[in-house]
Structures are given as C-alpha cells and as structure tokens.
C-alpha cells in the first residue's frame, strides 16, 4: 500500500496488488477510515449529544 500520488495529502492510499497478503491491513484501514468519517459526520450533524 502506498499513499495515492495525487490524493495522498488528504489521506487516500492505493492498494497496488490487493490479495490475501494485504487483506487484513486494508480491512483495518477501511474500518479506521469509516470510524473517522462517521465521527466527523456526527460532529457536524450534532448527533450523539456531544
């Protein structure tokens, strides 16, 4: 996995050869990205009382 050559500055990455060797790492990164995006959305929408 490498930072995306154009969008790496905003946190994008590229998986050059997805497969069994990268599956766990990609899943962890996707899960973390989802949690961050959801938390950001909830903050902006005022969801969750916080």
């Amino acid at each position: 996995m490498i930072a995306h050559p154009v969008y790496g500055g905003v946190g994008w990455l590229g998986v050059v050869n997805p497969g069994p060797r990268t599956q766990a790492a990609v899943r962890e990164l996707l899960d973390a990205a989802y949690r961050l995006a959801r938390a950001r959305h909830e903050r902006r929408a005022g969801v969750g009382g916080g």
Side-chain angles (χ1 to χ4, degrees):
M1 290 173 280
I2 60 171
H4 190 279
V6 176
Y7 301 108
V10 292
W12 288 29
L13 59 86
V15 180
V16 178
N17 290 316
R21 286 182 25 180
T22 58
Q23 183 175 357
V26 170
R27 173 58 61 189
E28 288 177 23
L29 291 168
L30 287 171
D31 289 344
Y34 175 79
R35 286 191 306 272
L36 290 170
R38 184 173 177 153
R40 185 170 45 249
H41 170 75
E42 289 175 352
R43 276 195 313 274
R44 290 179 180 170
V47 177

